[in-house]
Amino acid sequence: QAFKIFQAPRFPPLAISARRAHLSLLMSADADSVDFFDDDEGVDKVCCLRMRYRRHKRGALASQVLVPRKVLAVWFDFGAAMAMVFELMVVPDTALALVSAIASVLLFEKYGQGMGANISWTAVSFLLVFPLQNAIREAYKRREAALQAMVDFRAVALNVYLAHAVWDWPGAETYNGRAEDNRPRESGGVGLKKKPCNVPLPAPHGEDVLSVLMRIFDALQDLLLVPRAGHARVEFGCSQQEGTQVRRAQLKGRQVLIKLFGRLHRATEALKAAGMPANEASRINQYNMFLVRDFERMWSAKTYQTPMALKAVLRVIVQFLPFLYGPYWLHIIKGDSGDYGRGAIAYACIFSAMISVLLIAMFNLQEQMENPYRHNSRDCIRVMEEIKLARTTLRTARDDINAAWQEKLMFDWEIVGDVSDSEVSDENTALGMCC
């Protein structure tokens, strides 16, 4: 049975409890997999709707997500995995690898009679697969470090804004040093400031700091989305100009960010001039230092990659490996009996091509992870989404800046039948008063 979602603020705690008891009669004990639909936008567009359910026993927020049942999830995951592997294989290097793989089989089948041998693949493991696997592992470690730096940067930026917009200090008469305008109350002012810190703090100080932080995130996004210069081609020929342009663009973005970081320090000086105690101002400057530190971590992750020589060796070996294993393809074609036909040749070509294409897919994965801020890559950091989240975080804090801290905050996703602990406590208090 489908249930409607109600907003909890519409009902007092006692009414919520009564409706919750009513819903519990309709729901079975094992209700974690009961179909639970509401009027969410886009639900009608979901394919195989009856093969999905909501885990509403996990909470009101989790119940808003439609998840497929296990049988359907297996096929969805397998199909998505096939699509991802296909994307990794369909690159220009694959065409060269296929030519090498098939040509090596045909050449040894025609001109290498008598050279068949069951060659071990141990050399491939040590010379190619192990270095490639290690490069992929290091690329993922670099991504995690870069992501941690971005997360820390966003968290510190929020605290910088809140410090500039919220923190107050004792004034000359009351605890209103932030609002003092250095005008006597008899003249319609807020109050005189204590000397020597008698410079009134501008009213839009918090908004000004928010504007600086927004520009910091704008510049950071543009910097992180600059193409990287860690390709082998930028070391030779006309592609050297590409490397020069990349480095020039990165330095321009860096210079803008350094200027904006300096403005945050000057904004802290404005607070000190208005009377903020030195210890609190020092804490805000420490936040500013954390911002610069996290930026330098992101800068190093952006500008330094895996050694180009290692990638060059791997790229060349992948293309020439099929020719080194020509005797093995001939061994597969002839088999133990020594007789073979077109089917054996086709199988040897398919096997050789599969090995080359899988190595190309692994190399392409490592190439994508080389730049942790690569745009439109599944495993890399989603720069635009992270920066958008940072902007939204600052705006959310700004919208709630004037709310009293003890004011009760109702959640948009609260539904009947999932009251919070605080509401249960209020309900018990009300029952006690009635009794």
Side-chain angles (χ1 to χ4, degrees):
Q1 181 176 352
F3 299 99
K4 284 287 185 178
I5 290 183
F6 297 91
Q7 295 293 336
R10 300 177 184 174
F11 306 98
L14 291 176
I16 292 177
S17 180
R19 290 177 178 270
R20 179 179 184 180
H22 176 67
L23 289 176
S24 64
L25 296 176
L26 300 176
M27 297 166 60
S28 61
D30 297 327
D32 192 49
S33 62
V34 175
D35 292 330
F36 185 81
F37 305 111
D38 57 17
D39 295 333
D40 289 346
E41 182 181 357
V43 169
D44 295 336
K45 300 179 181 179
V46 179
C47 61
C48 305
L49 192 59
R50 287 297 173 185
M51 290 296 292
R52 298 171 182 266
Y53 66 96
R54 297 180 186 274
R55 292 170 174 168
H56 51 270
K57 289 182 66 176
R58 302 188 181 187
L61 193 59
S63 66
Q64 296 183 5
V65 181
L66 278 172
V67 294
R69 301 188 184 276
K70 292 183 179 180
V71 176
L72 191 62
V74 170
W75 289 104
F76 281 174
D77 292 336
F78 181 75
M82 291 290 292
M84 292 180 184
V85 174
F86 182 77
E87 289 182 3
L88 290 174
M89 292 180 177
V90 182
V91 291
D93 288 343
T94 303
L96 297 177
L98 289 176
V99 172
S100 300
I102 297 176
S104 63
V105 174
L106 297 179
L107 287 176
F108 273 84
E109 189 275 332
K110 185 174 183 180
Y111 301 105
Q113 296 294 333
M115 297 179 59
N118 188 8
I119 302 177
S120 173
W121 288 87
T122 305
V124 177
S125 301
F126 282 100
L127 296 178
L128 183 61
V129 178
F130 180 75
L132 187 57
Q133 180 183 7
N134 185 64
I136 294 175
R137 185 186 301 111
E138 292 301 321
Y140 273 97
K141 288 182 179 180
R142 188 183 304 109
R143 185 203 65 172
E144 293 302 317
L147 179 59
Q148 186 62 48
M150 177 171 286
V151 171
D152 293 341
F153 190 90
R154 183 172 61 223
V156 175
L158 174 61
N159 283 273
V160 169
Y161 167 67
L162 291 176
H164 282 276
V166 176
W167 288 10
D168 207 341
W169 55 90
E173 300 179 2
T174 61
Y175 194 82
N176 66 340
R178 185 183 190 88
E180 287 178 338
D181 56 0
N182 206 26
R183 293 175 56 197
R185 295 187 177 183
E186 295 80 8
S187 303
V190 179
L192 293 173
K193 301 188 73 66
K194 294 183 294 186
K195 294 183 179 180
C197 302
N198 58 353
V199 179
L201 185 69
H205 178 82
E207 288 294 324
D208 293 339
V209 173
L210 178 63
S211 177
V212 173
L213 290 172
M214 289 294 187
R215 294 302 292 166
I216 286 177
F217 283 116
D218 292 340
L220 182 63
Q221 174 177 304
D222 293 340
L223 172 61
L224 296 181
L225 292 180
V226 173
R228 67 182 182 90
H231 300 283
R233 63 176 181 268
V234 301
E235 299 294 322
F236 303 95
C238 59
S239 295
Q240 291 180 343
Q241 183 180 2
E242 176 188 352
T244 302
Q245 293 174 351
V246 169
R247 287 186 287 270
R248 185 184 298 119
Q250 290 174 344
L251 289 176
K252 284 183 179 180
R254 179 184 175 87
Q255 291 173 358
V256 170
L257 284 166
I258 296 302
K259 293 178 181 179
L260 292 172
F261 291 143
R263 295 190 179 188
L264 289 179
H265 280 274
R266 293 196 290 275
T268 307
E269 292 301 310
L271 293 176
K272 291 170 60 178
M276 172 176 277
N279 60 332
E280 294 188 3
S282 177
R283 177 60 58 88
I284 298 177
N285 279 330
Q286 186 183 33
Y287 293 164
N288 296 333
M289 184 272 291
F290 289 159
L291 282 178
V292 178
R293 179 199 61 189
D294 295 332
F295 164 70
E296 291 295 346
R297 290 177 178 174
M298 289 185 284
W299 170 265
S300 62
K302 176 67 178 178
T303 55
Y304 285 90
Q305 291 88 25
T306 303
M308 288 184 288
L310 175 61
K311 293 186 294 182
V313 170
L314 295 176
R315 186 185 293 272
V316 173
I317 290 180
V318 167
Q319 299 296 338
F320 285 95
L321 179 66
F323 293 98
L324 298 178
Y325 272 78
Y328 184 76
W329 314 137
L330 195 59
H331 171 75
I332 293 178
I333 293 175
K334 290 186 175 181
D336 296 332
S337 62
D339 299 329
Y340 64 91
R342 295 182 180 273
I345 298 176
Y347 175 77
C349 291
I350 293 174
F351 186 78
S352 176
M354 183 190 69
I355 296 296
S356 298
V357 170
L358 288 179
L359 290 176
I360 288 295
M362 294 180 62
F363 184 82
N364 189 29
L365 175 61
Q366 187 272 338
E367 185 74 10
Q368 290 183 4
M369 294 302 302
E370 195 65 28
N371 178 13
Y373 305 106
R374 184 188 180 99
H375 186 52
N376 286 335
S377 180
R378 290 188 180 91
D379 291 333
C380 295
I381 299 174
R382 297 181 291 272
V383 176
M384 289 187 174
E385 293 184 17
E386 294 294 333
I387 298 298
K388 182 180 180 180
L389 181 61
R391 297 192 187 102
T392 304
T393 300
L394 293 176
R395 294 191 184 102
T396 302
R398 188 265 312 275
D399 295 340
D400 195 61
I401 204 71
N402 295 322
W405 68 267
Q406 68 274 20
E407 179 183 348
K408 188 173 183 178
L409 180 63
M410 302 304 298
F411 307 143
D412 294 338
W413 61 83
E414 284 182 327
I415 64 173
V416 175
D418 190 48
V419 294
S420 63
D421 294 338
S422 60
E423 290 173 341
V424 173
S425 177
D426 293 342
E427 179 182 342
N428 294 336
T429 303
L431 290 174
M433 294 176 62
C434 293
C435 298

